[in-house]
Amino acid sequence: MSLQDFSAAEEQAMRLALSEARRGLRGANPLVGAAILDAGGRVIASGYHRGAGHPHAEVEALATLPAGTEPATLSGATMVVTLEPCNHHGRTGPCAAAVADAGIGTLIYASADQTQAAGGADFLRQHGVRVRSGLLGDEALDLNQRWFKAKAAGRPFTTMHVAQTLDGLIAAADGTSQWITSEAARQDSHEIRSRVDAIIAGTGTVFADDPRLTARTASGEPASNQPLRVVMGYRDVPEHAAVRGDDGRFLQVRSHEAEAVLKSLASRGVAHAMIEGGATVAGAFLQADLVDELVLYLAPMLLGAGTRSTAPLGISTLSDAARWRWDSTGGGHTINLGADLRLHLEPEPDGTMPAVRKGH
Amino acid sequence: MSLQDFSAAEEQAMRLALSEARRGLRGANPLVGAAILDAGGRVIASGYHRGAGHPHAEVEALATLPAGTEPATLSGATMVVTLEPCNHHGRTGPCAAAVADAGIGTLIYASADQTQAAGGADFLRQHGVRVRSGLLGDEALDLNQRWFKAKAAGRPFTTMHVAQTLDGLIAAADGTSQWITSEAARQDSHEIRSRVDAIIAGTGTVFADDPRLTARTASGEPASNQPLRVVMGYRDVPEHAAVRGDDGRFLQVRSHEAEAVLKSLASRGVAHAMIEGGATVAGAFLQADLVDELVLYLAPMLLGAGTRSTAPLGISTLSDAARWRWDSTGGGHTINLGADLRLHLEPEPDGTMPAVRKGH
């Protein structure tokens, strides 16, 4: 279906839905936005998916309809949504059913759902909803390019965080690293911990810093959601290591391969993993092009010498550099956070690593 | 004179003058802003100093007075300015005379001028202008803290630029560095070159890259202002090196000491110097706490291994890190520039280096 099959009002509404989608947080679910047009082409509602555990965009949009919207209005209305509505019972009910139940007359989606949640379009048609697709489909696919890639590979979506100086160091020459970043930046990274299913660190980090790897609130209390604490590497994690905790949410994966670690986590139902570090772990995931999102806290200081943020990546010349792009979803690509900057990036769509880009 | 000697309108006007001042570009001259209040306390004009070669803030403010402003209005008016008006003939005429000639009745300045340009307040009093001082003086001093420090030391103000990857590298493992940053970022750094009196690179950079170190416009033509091209280090710069050029604007300083190089430049009338690099030169200036402004272009790529942006700084532990703060003057501390971010920082007021901070 080509662009001329859609009205200007529909296209404008889809652009609104895309910008709504960009407000969400990347993770276990794709970013999705939706808007509802009345028969006259006026936007009467919109919404977006805030992240795992929150309602899907279609349901959010339905919830913002003006009070007392008549069934007749909805049967003449069009919902535009950036992704085909889901048709499965995940953490929330299927959106296709919610849209049909609401009495929406027409649904337009931008990109098809290629995952286990697919089938929403067929369900809607069977329930009398007119369905069209492909409006701004490329933009919608681009928005979630890495999420689709992770899903296709059957692995968790990954978020790497790095807290570094202006000159790219995560610890001073003597190993001290507490704290490079401000309280506000550290709290932000605890907020990410509280949203993921698992957090991954290396044995080197365990031996050097003995971190707890728990998610804590601003007041220092444990957050209500705690990630699985994953240590990768061959050295035995000591019995007394803080990362073991006492809640059973600890796992050691005896591997240095990022892919093997993610496969192990996928088999345990992990949909979103955070890569905590240090440099060896970061290097393993970066070199394998298995980092889907990068959150980089930049402290306004220089050390001149110390521990690099990542191990060597096998890149020897500039044209082979790992390429990223600024990611403005979830509040902007650059945010002031206490004394620090928080930078947000995602991989270039053709992959960060040259071997991947060249199709090897 | 204490704060209660000033009216709310005067304080508000000085805050406006400070925010005007922050629009300017750091360099040979301090950042200065001015505003003019009529007898009723209403702001009728404001202005700021754009940078070396442009009119001073007082003259800019006078130029924005409404057409046909009556002499009687000005004799009842108050000019607030963030720095004592100058009383010397530099690149522009003395501001004190311009203010007196305009017939301004009262002048309030925030911080005194401690340089050769001082004496403006006395001149104004002698010419019948009522003069008061000290309103928001600390903020005004803080705004130009490094400029005053450079002036007091009798050395040029320095701007260091660094073009690096997210992981703090300025070249790949094989030495390739053209280009880490985008065309827009490189053009921005040529704009800085065109504003400075001198540009400093090390012999290592000359041998590695054979740079011209000229300022070029967006179309690749030579800019109208060309800095003195300074190479520091002991190795002889080859006869055929591009940096020599054919305009006589080349100087080799046989020293690795940042202070010695700046002293040599000061004796040649250089008021603003740009530190081009590489890592050894950057390290020498940073370690001596002789960088007054840092412009850091951050390209969204990772190399994992390569040349660090600065040589070691003699810092071994985190509490001794060189501390900077974000500088929002001249357009904001973070600007999107092509595919890159341009970060702008200045040293913490007590100095970047621990030896300086501890008063050694």
Side-chain angles (χ1 to χ4, degrees):
Chain A
M1 196 169 272
S2 60
L3 196 60
Q4 56 265 40
D5 295 318
F6 301 100
S7 71
E10 287 165 352
E11 186 182 332
Q12 200 173 350
M14 188 63 88
R15 290 200 188 282
L16 169 65
L18 281 165
S19 82
E20 285 276 356
R22 290 187 191 101
R23 297 171 65 185
L25 297 169
R26 297 192 184 280
N29 295 340
L31 299 181
V32 186
I36 303 173
L37 297 165
D38 67 14
R42 198 169 57 93
V43 172
I44 53 174
S46 67
Y48 69 101
H49 176 54
R50 288 163 200 273
H54 292 274
H56 285 189
E58 300 89 329
V59 175
E60 289 276 6
L62 289 168
T64 67
L65 281 168
T69 302
E70 300 287 335
T73 302
L74 288 182
S75 66
T78 299
M79 177 183 281
V80 300
V81 56
T82 58
L83 183 67
E84 179 184 355
C86 72
N87 193 35
H88 77 142
H89 286 273
R91 302 192 203 197
T92 63
C95 293
V99 172
D101 288 351
I104 294 281
T106 302
L107 184 127
I108 300 173
Y109 62 88
S111 66
D113 190 334
Q114 296 140 349
T115 72
Q116 56 172 354
D122 289 343
F123 177 94
L124 286 164
R125 285 196 187 91
Q126 285 154 18
H127 289 75
V129 180
R130 288 174 296 278
V131 177
R132 287 181 290 150
S133 67
L135 175 56
L136 301 180
D138 287 348
E139 288 181 44
L141 282 172
D142 182 70
L143 178 64
N144 289 303
Q145 45 122 354
R146 285 299 288 211
W147 185 85
F148 286 121
K149 186 173 277 191
K151 272 283 160 182
R155 63 164 178 83
F157 184 88
T158 63
T159 299
M160 186 166 103
H161 99 131
V162 176
Q164 70 173 40
T165 63
L166 296 171
D167 50 340
L169 301 176
I170 60 170
D174 69 352
T176 47
S177 65
Q178 294 180 352
W179 296 106
I180 287 176
T181 47
S182 59
E183 173 66 29
R186 300 198 311 272
Q187 189 48 46
D188 187 77
S189 94
H190 275 282
E191 189 277 323
I192 300 175
R193 287 184 181 185
S194 74
R195 285 193 284 114
V196 300
D197 305 313
I199 178 168
I200 305 168
T203 48
T205 297
V206 168
F207 280 94
D209 299 338
D210 193 26
R212 282 181 282 173
L213 299 188
T214 52
R216 295 185 287 278
T217 66
S219 59
E221 301 295 309
S224 53
N225 290 316
Q226 289 295 332
L228 177 67
R229 302 179 297 280
V230 181
V231 176
M232 67 185 276
Y234 291 103
R235 278 191 285 174
D236 285 333
V237 173
E239 280 309 312
H240 59 270
V243 70
R244 288 188 175 272
D246 54 10
D247 58 359
R249 299 186 61 70
F250 166 76
L251 174 72
Q252 178 166 11
V253 181
R254 292 177 192 271
S255 172
H256 287 148
E257 300 294 321
E259 195 168 349
V261 172
L262 291 184
K263 185 164 286 183
S264 168
L265 295 186
S267 73
R268 285 169 170 83
V270 169
H272 186 194
M274 178 177 182
I275 301 156
E276 176 77 16
T280 308
V281 168
F285 279 86
L286 288 168
Q287 191 162 359
D289 197 12
L290 287 173
V291 178
D292 299 315
E293 177 180 42
L294 175 59
V295 178
L296 200 159
Y297 304 99
L298 203 59
M301 60 172 77
L302 294 167
L303 280 168
T307 307
R308 305 280 314 282
S309 56
T310 170
L313 303 174
I315 298 167
S316 59
T317 196
L318 184 60
S319 58
D320 283 348
R323 292 178 189 278
W324 295 71
R325 62 180 185 183
W326 306 103
D327 185 350
S328 293
T329 67
H333 66 65
T334 305
I335 298 170
N336 294 302
L337 217 53
D340 308 314
L341 282 191
R342 178 201 203 268
L343 308 181
H344 187 207
L345 300 101
E346 65 168 340
E348 281 284 357
D350 52 356
T352 60
M353 296 297 292
V356 175
R357 292 202 301 267
K358 289 168 186 164
H360 294 305
Chain B
M1 197 168 273
S2 62
L3 196 60
Q4 55 265 41
D5 295 318
F6 301 99
S7 71
E10 287 164 352
E11 186 183 333
Q12 199 173 352
M14 189 64 88
R15 290 201 189 283
L16 170 65
L18 281 165
S19 82
E20 285 275 358
R22 291 188 190 99
R23 298 171 66 186
L25 298 170
R26 296 192 185 281
N29 296 340
L31 298 181
V32 186
I36 303 173
L37 297 165
D38 67 14
R42 199 169 55 93
V43 172
I44 54 175
S46 67
Y48 69 101
H49 177 54
R50 289 165 199 272
H54 291 274
H56 286 188
E58 300 90 329
V59 174
E60 289 275 7
L62 289 168
T64 67
L65 281 168
T69 302
E70 299 288 334
T73 302
L74 289 182
S75 66
T78 298
M79 176 183 280
V80 300
V81 55
T82 57
L83 183 67
E84 180 184 355
C86 72
N87 192 36
H88 77 142
H89 286 273
R91 302 193 205 198
T92 63
C95 292
V99 172
D101 288 352
I104 294 281
T106 301
L107 183 127
I108 300 173
Y109 63 87
S111 66
D113 190 335
Q114 297 139 348
T115 71
Q116 54 170 358
D122 289 343
F123 177 93
L124 286 164
R125 286 198 186 91
Q126 285 155 18
H127 288 76
V129 180
R130 289 174 296 278
V131 178
R132 286 181 290 150
S133 67
L135 174 57
L136 302 181
D138 288 348
E139 288 182 44
L141 282 172
D142 182 72
L143 178 63
N144 289 303
Q145 45 121 356
R146 285 299 289 212
W147 186 85
F148 287 121
K149 185 173 278 191
K151 272 283 160 182
R155 63 164 178 83
F157 184 89
T158 61
T159 299
M160 188 166 103
H161 98 129
V162 177
Q164 70 173 38
T165 63
L166 297 171
D167 50 341
L169 300 175
I170 60 170
D174 68 353
T176 47
S177 65
Q178 293 180 355
W179 295 107
I180 287 176
T181 47
S182 59
E183 172 68 26
R186 300 199 311 272
Q187 187 49 45
D188 187 76
S189 95
H190 275 282
E191 190 277 323
I192 300 175
R193 289 184 180 186
S194 74
R195 283 193 286 113
V196 301
D197 305 314
I199 178 168
I200 304 169
T203 47
T205 298
V206 168
F207 281 94
D209 299 339
D210 193 26
R212 282 180 282 172
L213 299 187
T214 51
R216 295 184 288 278
T217 65
S219 58
E221 301 295 309
S224 52
N225 290 316
Q226 288 296 334
L228 177 67
R229 302 180 298 278
V230 181
V231 175
M232 67 185 276
Y234 292 104
R235 279 190 285 174
D236 286 333
V237 173
E239 280 309 310
H240 58 271
V243 70
R244 287 189 176 272
D246 54 11
D247 59 0
R249 299 186 61 70
F250 166 75
L251 174 72
Q252 179 166 11
V253 181
R254 291 176 192 272
S255 173
H256 286 148
E257 300 294 321
E259 198 169 345
V261 172
L262 291 184
K263 184 164 287 184
S264 168
L265 295 186
S267 74
R268 285 170 170 82
V270 169
H272 185 194
M274 178 177 182
I275 301 156
E276 176 78 15
T280 308
V281 168
F285 279 86
L286 288 167
Q287 192 162 357
D289 197 14
L290 287 172
V291 178
D292 299 314
E293 178 180 41
L294 176 59
V295 178
L296 201 159
Y297 305 99
L298 203 59
M301 58 172 77
L302 294 167
L303 280 168
T307 308
R308 305 280 314 282
S309 56
T310 171
L313 303 174
I315 298 166
S316 58
T317 194
L318 184 60
S319 57
D320 282 347
R323 292 180 189 279
W324 295 71
R325 62 180 185 184
W326 305 103
D327 185 350
S328 293
T329 68
H333 66 65
T334 304
I335 298 169
N336 295 301
L337 216 53
D340 309 314
L341 280 192
R342 178 201 203 268
L343 308 181
H344 187 207
L345 300 101
E346 65 168 340
E348 280 285 357
D350 53 357
T352 59
M353 296 296 293
V356 175
R357 291 202 300 269
K358 289 167 186 165
H360 293 307

